[in-house]
Amino acid sequence: MNILLLGSGGREHAFAWKMTQSPLCDTLFVAPGNAGTATIATNLDFSATDFEAIKAVVIKENIEMVVVGPEDPLVKGVYDFFLNDADLKHIPVIGPSKLGAQLEGSKEFAKEFMMKHQVPTAAYDSFTAETVEKGCEFLATLQPPYVLKADGLAAGKGVLIIQDLAEAQTELRNMLVGQKFGAASSKVVIEEFLDGIELSCFVLTDGKSYKILPTAKDYKRIGEGDTGLNTGGMGAVSPVPYVDAVLMEKIETRIVQPTIAGLQKDGIPYKGFVFIGLINVNNEPIVIEYNVRMGDPETEVVVPRLKSDIVELFLAVANEKLDEFNLEVDERSATTVMIVSGGYPEDFEKGKVISGLENVENSIVFHAGTKLDKGAVVTNGGRVMAITSYGNNFQEALQQSYDNVSKIQFEKMNYRKDIGFDLVSIEKPSSKTVTTGLFLF
Ligand code: AMP
Ligand code: GLY
């Protein structure tokens, strides 16, 4: 069948890499894609949120499935657009409905959902410009640090964690009255600070049943030792060594099950990924956020560890047959190191020629912000490419990624040299804890 994949990052190149290995995939189209997807699929020159262009190509190219990478098209309602169009409604879209996408599109919606379905989450209250003074009073009742979250999508920048009360109150005013994050901060959720280790859980659901995918940890800060500004993610490791069977059981019974059951109870159509951001507070997993898509760069380590045919997996989601699907996972570790443009996540230059890619051996290069320019691969974004490797443990995989990173060059190239630094002292779990039986249901 012909398939359309929406998006242009490393996540989408990893999906495309896996989808094109399936005998079920005839032609893969990617909109808009990057220089990496161009080598294995047909890139289309329109944005992932241009629904009319999507409709036109789906009809013209006889596309039979649409897979959505980023959150934007989902929050804007691409699933509903297909469902409400007589020409498109028979074509499955892998991704939640517009209502389901509110789990990521509105922090308040997500918090209300968690409270209603008793999913453990930090205590909170939400405020608007009209109630800004009440918000300041609420802050004064909390212990520092203070967590302020813009309600809407703010490109991963809408969360502020502040030590000082007066500063937190000023920032609350900036967000609500000063529109610091535009419309996204016309409502702000103030949340209890959770002190613990972060981890992510990736779930794929057909709306009835679910599979838990391999765990992964990403490294969001630009600087070594987790310092400096937040980025989209500078690298990732899968599996996460400290996630044992006991913790996984808690995550499944207390968080995954009530989340999937809650979607069903509330009549929210959801056939796609749920990426649950957690903080492990004294071995008690607590949700800090939902995303309605896979993580990037987590996809670049999770997807390479899937042994099963991903197109078959997506078909099982579309046909509500996920409970019958046997998901097989590679026992090896996978790691990825993200190469970024100098200056990112602040201002950076584009159009730098990337060299050395032909020397990479025994790693997979997933392109993110790249494009082809007169036959050359040039930089076209902050995060440029992710170098993924396998190993018997994450240290071995990382060594391989770093060996290959050193063969790639472009002007002002930057990357973190310490991915996995916080995992080194933690023992790798016994092979029992990474068998499919414990992670996959
Ligand atoms: P979010 O966009 O909700 O994932 O938040 C961005 C980052 O802020 C998270 O990855 C955490 O590091 C941090 N964070 C969010 N909520 C909390 C919280 N309640 N307590 C502590 N840290 C938090
Ligand atoms: N790597 C974090 C995210 O995709 O949101």
Side-chain angles (χ1 to χ4, degrees):
M1 67 167 119
N2 294 342
I3 307 176
L4 171 63
L5 171 64
L6 299 178
S8 63
R11 167 182 49 213
E12 286 74 25
H13 190 189
F15 276 139
W17 171 83
K18 185 74 180 161
M19 287 160 79
T20 51
Q21 291 171 35
S22 168
L24 295 170
C25 180
D26 293 319
T27 305
L28 178 67
F29 296 89
V30 190
N34 58 37
T37 61
T39 62
I40 50 173
T42 304
N43 282 354
L44 300 169
D45 193 17
F46 56 81
S47 126
T49 53
D50 186 343
F51 293 176
E52 289 305 327
I54 292 170
K55 176 174 175 175
V57 83
V58 164
I59 292 169
K60 177 167 171 256
E61 302 291 354
N62 195 19
I63 282 164
E64 290 175 272
M65 182 191 281
V66 178
V67 178
V68 187
E71 64 278 16
D72 254 24
L74 295 166
V75 173
K76 293 197 167 109
V78 69
Y79 178 95
D80 309 69
F81 176 80
F82 271 68
L83 206 63
N84 296 328
D85 188 302
D87 298 329
L88 303 178
K89 66 178 177 201
H90 61 286
I91 298 165
V93 173
I94 305 302
S97 62
K98 187 172 185 174
L99 185 57
Q102 286 297 96
L103 283 182
E104 179 166 357
S106 165
K107 300 268 186 207
E108 191 185 38
F109 179 92
K111 293 299 277 192
E112 283 172 358
F113 178 90
M114 287 186 258
M115 299 307 274
K116 182 171 173 192
H117 299 293
Q118 291 171 2
V119 176
T121 188
Y124 80 105
D125 206 342
S126 58
F127 300 91
T128 60
E130 284 73 50
T131 55
V132 63
E133 291 313 316
K134 279 212 170 73
C136 290
E137 285 164 27
F138 180 67
L139 280 171
T141 68
L142 301 176
Q143 295 299 314
Y146 306 94
V147 182
L148 308 182
K149 298 186 171 186
D151 179 62
L153 292 184
K157 293 184 179 139
V159 177
L160 302 179
I161 299 181
I162 300 168
Q163 278 297 333
D164 180 66
L165 176 62
E167 198 187 320
Q169 290 169 329
T170 303
E171 284 297 350
L172 181 67
R173 290 195 181 95
N174 288 344
M175 287 169 92
L176 288 173
V177 186
Q179 302 263 304
K180 181 174 179 132
F181 299 106
S185 66
S186 56
K187 212 182 263 176
V188 171
V189 167
I190 299 178
E191 201 170 87
E192 164 200 12
F193 178 81
L194 300 172
D195 195 8
I197 307 175
E198 278 184 58
L199 69 140
S200 304
C201 173
F202 302 98
V203 182
L204 182 60
T205 180
D206 59 7
K208 292 179 172 167
S209 171
Y210 62 86
K211 299 281 178 204
I212 299 181
L213 304 177
T215 55
K217 183 178 192 304
D218 80 341
Y219 291 81
K220 285 206 182 92
R221 302 295 195 91
I222 187 70
E224 268 132 38
D226 284 343
T227 53
L229 293 173
N230 255 329
T231 70
M234 297 294 290
V237 172
S238 176
V240 184
Y242 58 77
V243 180
D244 60 13
V246 176
L247 180 59
M248 207 55 210
E249 164 82 18
K250 286 184 188 170
I251 294 171
E252 183 173 21
T253 54
R254 297 179 194 176
I255 292 166
V256 177
Q257 286 171 356
T259 297
I260 304 303
L263 290 168
Q264 262 184 292
K265 278 187 208 149
D266 289 354
I268 300 176
Y270 206 115
K271 291 184 174 186
F273 293 99
V274 194
F275 157 5
I276 310 175
L278 302 160
I279 295 195
N280 187 20
V281 184
N282 302 323
N283 276 322
E284 303 301 324
I286 301 182
V287 178
I288 49 166
E289 65 165 348
Y290 287 118
N291 295 300
V292 298
R293 52 175 174 83
M294 279 298 289
D296 190 353
E298 292 93 325
T299 308
E300 292 94 301
V301 290
V302 170
V303 163
R305 292 191 60 226
L306 301 182
K307 288 209 262 184
S308 307
D309 181 325
I310 202 167
V311 177
E312 260 180 48
L313 177 64
F314 289 151
L315 279 173
V317 170
N319 298 325
E320 297 177 12
K321 293 270 165 57
L322 207 48
D323 57 337
E324 294 170 21
F325 194 87
N326 178 31
L327 187 62
E328 286 184 84
V329 171
D330 194 322
E331 296 261 325
R332 289 174 298 170
S333 290
T335 58
T336 202
V337 175
M338 190 61 87
I339 301 177
V340 305
S341 299
Y344 172 80
E346 297 186 284
D347 289 346
F348 57 84
E349 294 163 26
K350 294 183 187 177
K352 308 289 180 199
V353 175
I354 303 166
S355 61
L357 291 173
E358 67 284 0
N359 301 325
V360 171
E361 280 174 317
N362 299 322
S363 286
I364 314 164
V365 175
F366 291 125
H367 290 233
T370 66
K371 68 172 187 180
L372 285 172
D373 185 18
K374 298 180 203 99
V377 179
V378 302
T379 65
N380 192 39
R383 293 194 295 169
V384 174
M385 45 182 56
I387 313 303
T388 294
S389 314
Y390 297 101
N392 290 318
N393 50 49
F394 76 88
Q395 291 97 330
E396 208 178 285
L398 269 173
Q399 188 57 51
Q400 187 63 30
S401 287
Y402 280 122
D403 283 352
N404 280 314
V405 166
S406 69
K407 298 175 187 168
I408 300 170
Q409 299 100 31
F410 60 86
E411 201 188 316
K412 298 189 184 157
M413 164 176 145
N414 186 26
Y415 62 93
R416 258 180 76 165
K417 294 162 194 71
D418 70 338
I419 300 303
F421 77 98
D422 54 341
L423 306 176
V424 176
S425 58
I426 305 169
E427 242 178 77
K428 191 174 156 54
S430 72
S431 61
K432 262 191 179 165
T433 58
V434 290
T435 57
T436 55
L438 287 164
F439 282 109
L440 313 166
F441 304 88

